[in-house]
Structure formats: structure tokens, C-alpha cells
Amino acid sequence: MDFTFTDDQLAFREAVSRFLMTEAAPEMLREIWDTDVGRSPDLRHKIAEQGLTALSVPESLGGLGMDDVAWSLMTQELGYYAIPDSLADTAYVAAGLIAALPETVAKREERLCAIADGSIRIAVGHPVNPFVADAQPADLLLLAHGDEVHAVPRALVDVIANPSVDHSRRLGRVVWEPNSATRVAAGEAGRALWAATLERGVLSAAGQLLGLAQRMLDLSVDYTAQRKQFGKPIGSFQAVKHHLADVATRIEFAKPVLYRAAHALAHGEAGVAVRVSHAKLACGEAAWLAARHGIQVHGAMGYTWEVDLQMFMKRAWALDASWGDRGFHKTRVAGFVLGDAAALGPGRTFEE
């Protein structure tokens, strides 16, 4: 299997990284965290100008028509810079659900065009999540009622805010009444849409966790190169080197798992749920280790507001429990590994 990214994918990632490096400095993140809504319309506008909101929208509707593999790169950048915005939920998860609706569904094309030009913010209320992220500032909510999919305007729901350890995540419990006017899918079609939405949501969280892990490692390396004890940078001490090397190893091991899951999702492979859950677990473990060792090499000050590490650490903790906690994903992986149909063993590793 060829995991090589195309020149276009790599160039796009590089452009996104340069843009976010300039527009999403830690000082700006702190300012947005302190606002009531926790979102910056100016940042969302600039993101749309870069074409990031159009990534998943079909080219025929003004989008770029890129797939899940491209998002596995994009979400890493969103995590690396801890973007305080629901970009992935709107432009990836919601866009995928709406694009999969029959063309006869009212406002389908209108909403995809609005996603592409960045004029709409959509929150996704999947049953696996107890709270809906960004429900308060959303223009439209995609909500589940049994196997039905409802597209509900913000004016028709009440949102009860729920605090998060990550101030950039604005969670809420949504109170609403389903009706035929908001229903866009039901039955087998509705179940299939929610199943595909779950995999995209999990992959999005996994990619962001991997980006967060890399950022926490970079912050820790920078700190240990500057902080001195006994006249030497603490990064020169073997115990500190081992901690950071362990994190780097965990990140490198998680990358191919994420990319394999993205490839499986993009190509509709059988067993995609197992690969996506494996990616969430691998990327989550990398982020947890990066946070734990980052705190150790920073000392107690790593927890303080003044040190950037705490922002990325809190985001990792919050994301790790979203779109299914560890127990949920371990159960899906165990069901495959311990099942009779699992193609495992030395003689079957390279069959496909």
C-alpha cells in the first residue's frame, strides 16, 4: 500500500501551517478563550479566505473536493495550533453528512455552498457525544432522533452550556423537539449517515490529538534547551532526553495508524471502524504521553496559565473523551482482534 502523499496534499499542508503560525499565535488563543463566545469571526473569515472551509465540498459546488486523507493532514495542523474554532466539525464532519444526502433534499446544495464560503457554522450532535460542541454559536445543528437525521436551525433549539476543562471547547446540552420539517433522512439511510459521521468525527479527533502531541513535544524540547541546572540545559540530561524520545517514538508510531484509517475511510473499506478506533487510541496515547512528560520536564509551572503547554494539554484531555472514550474504541478493536474472522498472524500480515 502506498502511503505517499501527493505534491498537492503536501503543498496544501505547508500553506495551512504557515497561515496558522501567523494567525493563531498563543497570545491570540488566550484572548479568544477569554471572550464570552470563545470564537473569533475574524479568524473564521480568514480561514475561509484560505479555502479551508471548502476542503470537503464537491468541486461542482465551489469546493476543493478533497478526501479523508487530506483531512488527516489538515486536522494535525488544527491540533498543532489548537485552533479555537469548530472548523473540522463544519467543514469535514457536517459537510460529509450533508454531501451524502440525496440531491432531492431541500437546501442541500445551498448549505454545502455556505460551508465552502465560510458563511455558516454547523454543530453536529452525534449520539456518541453527551454534549454538542459549538451548539451555542452554530447557525444550524445536525441532530439525531433515533435513526433520523434532523437539520435544525439554531432558533429552534435551547442550549444549556456545560463548562469544559478546555476553554476553547464550548459544549452544550441541546433541548429540541423533532418534527417532519427538519427531518432530512430516516431508517436505513439515517443509520448509515450517522455511522459514517461517527468515523469522520473520530478521525478528526485523532488527527487533532496527534497534532497536539507534536506541539507539546516541540514546546518541551524548546523549554529544556533553555532551562539550565548546574550550568547546563536540562535537555542535556539523559533522563530528560529519554522522556522526550519516548514521546517522539509514540508520535511516529501513531502516524501510519492515522493515515491507514484515513485511507480506509476514503475508500469505503470493510473494517474501517476498527482502523479508525485504532487511530484514535494510538493518537490519544501519544497526546497523553506528551502531556504527562511535558509537565514533568516543565515542572509544576507547566500547569500555570502563563505557560503555553497548559492550553494544548487541556485540549488533548478534552478531545480524548470526545467521539467515543477509550472504552468505546477498545471494545471495537477487541471485537475485531478476538473475533473468528480476524485476518491476523505472521502469514497473513502482508497478504493484501
Side-chain angles (χ1 to χ4, degrees), residues 94-145:
L97 190 156
I98 295 174
L101 291 171
E103 295 183 359
T104 53
V105 171
K107 297 185 178 180
R108 174 184 175 274
E109 290 190 8
E110 175 187 331
R111 285 165 176 159
L112 287 172
C113 291
I115 290 173
D117 64 26
S119 61
I120 191 171
R121 188 185 293 274
I122 302 178
V124 181
H126 193 283
V128 77
N129 292 318
F131 301 103
V132 180
D134 264 32
Q136 187 69 35
D139 304 296
L140 181 75
L141 293 92
L142 299 175
L143 300 173
H145 178 67

Side-chain angles (χ1 to χ4, degrees), residues 248-268:
T249 302
R250 195 68 62 90
I251 290 172
E252 292 305 315
F253 272 55
K255 284 180 181 177
V257 182
L258 175 69
Y259 300 150
R260 183 64 182 90
H263 184 277
L265 186 56
H267 293 82

Side-chain angles (χ1 to χ4, degrees), residues 146-164:
D147 57 13
E148 297 177 348
V149 182
H150 289 259
V152 188
R154 173 65 180 84
L156 299 183
V157 305
D158 292 324
V159 179
I160 303 170
N162 189 83
S164 170

